[in-house]
Amino acid sequence: MGKALTIALDAMGGDAAPKMVVRGASIALERFPEVRFIMFGREREIAPLLKNKGRLQEVTTLRHTDDVVGSDAKPSVALRSGRQSSMRLAIDAVQAGEADCVVSAGNTGALMAMAKFVLKTLPGINRPAIASFFPTMRGESVMLDLGANVQCDAQNLVDFAVMGNAFARSVLGLQEPSYALLNVGSEEIKGHESLQEASAILRASGLPGKFLGFVEGDDIAKGTADVIVTDGFTGNVALKTAEGTAKLINEYMRHTFRSSLLAGLGYLLARPAMRKLRKRVDPRGYNGAMFLGLNGIAVKSHGGTDALGFANAIGVAVDMQRHGIIEKIRTDLTLLDRSPGNAQAAVV
C-alpha cells in the first residue's frame, strides 16, 4: 500500500454525474486502497449513492454546494460567478492543502481557467498545457498541447517539451524518453519560425532523453516519439481526427461483419481477437487529460466517460502525485537557457 493521499472530486462534473463519479471513485479505490476522497456537490444527490458503497463511504468526506458549472458556460463567466461551484471548491481544496490533486469531468475551459487562477503556474511557465495519452504501435505516447493554447511562440513549445518529458518519465516510467515537435515535414528546414526556434533551443538543452527534431502526423500512431509537442490548435485537431477515425473504422467493421451470413460466422470465429482489439483501443483506458505547468495537480476526465473511464482519470492523478511530476518539471526548467535572444542565437 502506498502513502495515503487525498483527491478532491468535482462530483457534479460530467454528463452522468454524480452517479458516474461515485462509481468511478469506488472502482479507483479497489486499485488504490490508500486514497481518500473529498467530494463536492449536491448532498441530496450524492449521499444516497454513497450509502451502499461500504468502504468508499468511510473514506469520503462530502462537502455540499448547490452551484454547478454548466457544460456550456464560458470560462470567464464561470471564473467570476462560480466561486461556490463544485468545480471551484474542489480546486480550492488543493490550493488550501486539504487535497493532493483534483479530478473533474466538467467544462474543460472553466476547469483550466479556475485551476490557473487558483493554483497559479510554476515559475518560468506562463501557459499551462493540456496533455493526454495516445495509443501507438509501440505502446503509449503523450501529446501536448491539446487545446489550451491555440497560438504558441517558441518558448511555449519548449515549455511544453519540458513538461511532456517530465510526464513521460513520471507516469510512463521512461528514463530516457524521446521527444519531438510536430511539423509538416521531418526536414530541418520545414516549419514556421516558432518551430525553428523551439527546435534550436531543445537541441542545445540538457533535458533528459533524446530530442528527435521534427516528426509528421503519421508518426503519432507509429510511436516514433514518446512525447509529441505542438500548439493547441494543431493538437486538438489531431486528437479529434484520431477519435473520429477510430469511430469510423469501428463502424466499418460493424457493417462488414453484418453484411452476410458468412461474414457473421467470421465474426464469431474472430470474437476473442476482437475483444482484445477493443480493449487495446478503448478510450476509457486513456481517459484523463493532464493540466501540466500548474503549481498543483489537476486532471480533466472526458465529460462523456463512464465509471471505468473516470476511475482511470483518478489513476492518472495518483500517478502524477506519487512520482512527483511537479518537482521534475521544476528541476528540468533549470536546464534551459532563458537568457534574452537565446532562441535567435541558437537558430543562427
Side-chain angles (χ1 to χ4, degrees):
M1 182 178 294
K3 182 181 177 182
L5 62 119
T6 302
I7 301 179
L9 298 179
D10 171 13
M12 308 309 296
D15 298 345
K19 184 180 294 185
M20 173 273 293
V21 173
V22 173
R23 288 180 176 176
S26 182
I27 295 172
L29 189 61
E30 295 177 10
R31 180 183 172 192
F32 307 106
E34 73 279 11
V35 167
R36 302 294 181 268
F37 297 107
I38 306 177
M39 291 190 186
F40 295 85
R42 294 168 181 159
E43 185 174 2
R44 61 184 177 276
E45 296 181 38
I46 303 168
L49 299 173
L50 287 171
K51 190 173 182 180
N52 298 318
K53 288 297 182 181
R55 189 164 179 276
L56 177 62
Q57 186 175 16
E58 296 175 9
V59 302
T60 299
T61 300
L62 180 55
R63 302 275 181 87
H64 171 73
T65 180
D66 275 319
D67 292 352
V68 176
V69 174
S71 60
D72 58 348
K74 292 183 178 180
S76 57
V77 175
L79 188 60
R80 290 195 305 270
S81 62
R83 297 179 182 178
Q84 294 301 311
S85 66
S86 57
M87 180 183 290
R88 175 62 181 270
L89 293 177
I91 298 170
D92 287 346
V94 177
Q95 194 277 332
E98 290 185 278
D100 297 288
C101 34
V102 57
V103 181
S104 173
N107 184 312
T108 302
L111 183 64
M112 174 60 87
M114 287 183 177
K116 185 178 180 182
F117 178 79
V118 175
L119 302 177
K120 312 302 181 187
T121 56
L122 290 169
I125 299 290
N126 60 15
R127 292 191 187 184
I130 299 176
S132 189
F133 300 106
F134 266 76
T136 74
M137 295 179 185
R138 295 176 53 242
E140 294 177 340
S141 65
V142 60
M143 185 171 173
L144 68 168
D145 178 31
L146 297 179
N149 307 280
V150 174
Q151 293 182 326
C152 298
D153 60 21
Q155 195 58 61
N156 296 143
L157 296 173
V158 171
D159 291 344
F160 298 166
V162 171
M163 296 186 290
N165 189 306
F167 180 85
R169 287 166 21 236
S170 299
V171 179
L172 297 182
L174 303 173
Q175 292 185 351
E176 296 288 328
S178 58
Y179 55 105
L181 294 164
L182 187 61
N183 202 347
V184 295
S186 58
E187 299 86 355
E188 292 187 13
I189 61 172
K190 292 290 183 71
H192 52 69
E193 184 178 351
S194 293
L195 279 168
Q196 292 290 330
E197 291 182 7
S199 176
I201 295 173
L202 291 172
R203 287 188 187 283
S205 74
L207 291 178
K210 181 180 180 181
F211 178 56
L212 303 180
F214 299 137
V215 293
E216 300 179 73
D218 60 345
D219 287 305
I220 299 174
K222 289 178 183 177
T224 302
D226 300 310
V227 181
I228 296 180
V229 179
T230 187
D231 61 83
F233 182 91
T234 306
N236 191 266
V237 171
L239 174 65
K240 298 298 173 59
T241 300
E243 290 176 344
T245 301
K247 291 178 181 178
L248 176 65
I249 293 174
N250 182 63
E251 197 62 26
Y252 277 168
M253 292 178 69
R254 286 167 57 90
H255 283 298
T256 299
F257 283 124
R258 291 177 177 178
S259 62
S260 68
L261 183 61
L262 188 60
L265 179 60
Y267 171 75
L268 292 176
L269 294 174
R271 187 156 53 181
M274 295 300 296
R275 287 199 196 99
K276 290 182 180 180
L277 175 61
R278 280 197 296 268
K279 185 176 181 181
R280 179 69 182 86
V281 299
D282 188 344
R284 297 177 300 177
Y286 301 93
N287 187 46
M290 297 68 66
F291 289 174
L292 299 181
L294 296 173
N295 192 26
I297 295 174
V299 174
K300 169 66 173 72
S301 167
H302 195 292
T305 195
D306 62 8
L308 179 58
F310 193 79
N312 285 328
I314 292 174
V316 171
V318 172
D319 287 340
M320 290 175 68
Q321 197 278 337
R322 276 182 176 174
H323 293 94
I325 187 171
I326 292 178
E327 288 308 313
K328 281 187 173 68
I329 293 174
R330 288 181 188 273
T331 300
D332 290 354
L333 286 171
T334 65
L335 301 175
L336 299 176
D337 182 0
R338 293 179 177 273
S339 58
N342 175 54
Q344 289 80 0
V347 172
V348 175

